[in-house]
Amino acid sequence: MNTTSTTSSPAVDVETLTKHFGDLTAVDGISFQVEEGDVFGFLGPNGAGKSTTIRMLTGVLRPDAGSARIAGYDIRTDTEAAKSEIGIVPEQFNAYPDLTAWKNLMLAGELYGVPRETRQNTGTELLRSFGLFERRHTPTSEYSKGMKQRLMLTMALLHDPAVLFLDEPITGLDVESQRLIRERIAELNQEGRTVFLTTHNIGEADRLCDNIAIINRGEIAAIDSPEALKQEIERTRAVEVSFSETIERELLAGITAVEGAEKRGDTFRLMTPDPDAVVKAVVTLAKEKGLTVLSLQTLGPSLEDAFTDLTEEDP
Ligand SMILES: Nc1ncnc2c1ncn2[C@@H]1O[C@H](COP(=O)(O)OP(=O)(O)OP(=O)(O)O)[C@@H](O)[C@H]1O
Ligand SMILES: [Mg+2]
């Protein structure tokens, strides 16, 4: 990994990247940057364009328009240099099923021009750190999904890339593999590697990423830190209240700081930027009108709210 020559460029620099499949615009002129040393999450629902983007960024798929630079190298015009900086774990298992893990790993190393001795030494270290060394002579067709995913990570890391692209690295794995991969992602990042991962799991993005781009229908809906994304939807915070008496919605909608009031069964949901003021006003109102409050709670924003907010179908 050569970090000295790349300090001036972002790890990933994307400008108006576009991909069409027939009439479908899978990726619609997206632009963003990933800073060196970040764990960057590309979060979006199924079919949002996450894998298509990764495939363009890693030189697997040719963009119809726009450009992508990895550590300063244009993936279209400077492909070899860009690819040497990249490690890829694709969506689908890409090792040879009839070959052992060890053979697959050595082949991957050869492909990237890693010298034999380095291949063998680094390969051994990697298999150990991913808990596969004991099973290195087993054909990969006999591997579990979690083992396959761990093997793909070792294959992606053998040539010591500066930027790791992981397409849904954790989804659908057993708990032990999930834990191991999460820990290794954090370690690899601490060593200075930039990590670009896709996911449709909000909790995972929240937990792992420094910055998150939310992609929906080929477009970037938001891009920020998990904390900032949560704050962005502070305005949609709410207070939920129910009373033992039947009351008119308008009474609650009239409270200052309430920006919307919805009745859901016996409960009222009051949208507000200032939940504290609303809670106090509800208590005062109850006293004035002689009402009994059955339940009263504040609903804080979650990244899930932000995600739903930003990816909801247009009405
Ligand atoms: N080779 C292809 N030919 C035609 N359409 C494609 C092709 N690859 C992707 N698409 C379409 O492009 C859109 C984006 O697909 P993509 O695989 O990038 O989504 P994704 O965000 O990775 O989804 P998922 O979470 O399901 O992996 C989808 O509508 C998909 O059907
Ligand atoms: Mg995908």
Side-chain angles (χ1 to χ4, degrees):
M1 182 171 55
N2 184 355
T3 45
T4 47
S5 70
T6 59
T7 43
S8 56
S9 313
V12 182
D13 191 357
V14 177
E15 227 181 288
T16 59
L17 202 63
T18 305
K19 187 73 197 177
H20 305 285
F21 294 113
D23 288 342
L24 174 82
T25 304
V27 175
D28 197 0
I30 60 172
S31 302
F32 62 90
Q33 294 189 336
V34 179
E35 292 310 320
E36 199 183 295
D38 260 14
V39 178
F40 187 85
F42 215 50
L43 175 69
N46 291 133
K50 303 183 294 294
S51 296
T52 305
T53 302
I54 273 208
R55 292 169 71 211
M56 288 193 283
L57 297 184
T58 53
V60 175
L61 196 65
R62 204 175 161 76
D64 292 326
S67 68
R69 291 175 165 276
I70 310 299
Y73 301 113
D74 191 308
I75 190 71
R76 280 169 88 165
T77 57
D78 227 345
T79 313
E80 281 307 303
K83 280 197 173 176
S84 72
E85 303 279 350
I86 294 174
I88 316 169
V89 175
E91 207 166 26
Q92 306 289 340
F93 186 57
N94 68 342
Y96 294 102
D98 298 337
L99 299 184
T100 65
W102 181 257
K103 280 261 165 62
N104 268 297
L105 189 53
M106 291 304 108
L107 269 178
E110 244 177 280
L111 215 65
Y112 276 102
V114 180
R116 177 190 289 265
E117 210 182 311
T118 316
R119 275 201 308 268
Q120 292 178 343
N121 294 340
T122 312
T124 301
E125 272 171 39
L126 281 169
L127 287 173
R128 284 221 161 90
S129 75
F130 280 93
L132 294 174
F133 188 71
E134 306 303 321
R135 301 289 301 276
R136 67 191 180 284
H137 296 312
T138 303
T140 63
S141 56
E142 293 173 28
Y143 269 24
S144 71
K145 189 165 183 217
M147 290 167 76
K148 285 179 176 165
Q149 192 70 358
R150 287 186 262 152
L151 176 62
M152 287 203 289
L153 270 156
T154 66
M155 289 164 66
L157 285 165
L158 193 56
H159 63 290
D160 197 18
V163 188
L164 255 187
F165 287 92
L166 312 174
D167 199 346
E168 304 263 2
I170 292 166
T171 312
L173 303 185
D174 60 280
V175 175
E176 179 56 17
S177 293
Q178 285 192 16
R179 188 190 57 77
L180 197 137
I181 290 175
R182 241 184 246 122
E183 280 174 14
R184 294 295 292 136
I185 289 175
E187 278 170 30
L188 291 163
N189 179 241
Q190 272 158 25
E191 290 166 9
R193 263 175 259 265
T194 307
V195 180
F196 183 109
L197 63 91
T198 75
T199 179
H200 53 253
N201 185 316
I202 294 150
E204 188 177 305
D206 196 5
R207 193 158 11 161
L208 285 172
C209 302
D210 301 305
N211 280 298
I212 296 174
I214 295 181
I215 181 167
N216 189 36
R217 283 170 280 163
E219 291 180 38
I220 292 192
I223 181 163
D224 225 321
S225 67
E227 285 316 309
L229 283 171
K230 285 179 217 169
Q231 272 171 25
E232 203 172 294
I233 52 120
E234 284 272 305
R235 60 193 153 73
T236 63
R237 283 169 76 174
V239 172
E240 273 192 351
V241 61
S242 65
F243 301 93
S244 57
E245 299 82 4
T246 309
I247 69 156
E248 292 296 317
R249 194 190 67 90
E250 283 68 29
L251 199 59
L252 296 167
I255 295 173
T256 319
V258 168
E259 292 182 348
E262 291 168 17
K263 192 168 187 314
R264 303 181 173 201
D266 294 337
T267 306
F268 291 91
R269 181 173 284 197
L270 313 173
M271 312 303 170
T272 177
D274 189 354
D276 189 52
V278 171
V279 167
K280 285 177 182 146
V282 166
V283 173
T284 309
L285 182 83
K287 259 190 208 150
E288 276 172 19
K289 305 279 177 190
L291 303 168
T292 311
V293 175
L294 284 182
S295 68
L296 181 60
Q297 63 166 334
T298 305
L299 306 177
S302 66
L303 194 56
E304 184 146 12
D305 294 328
F307 183 66
T308 311
D309 219 34
L310 290 161
T311 56
E312 253 170 10
E313 293 291 326
D314 295 329

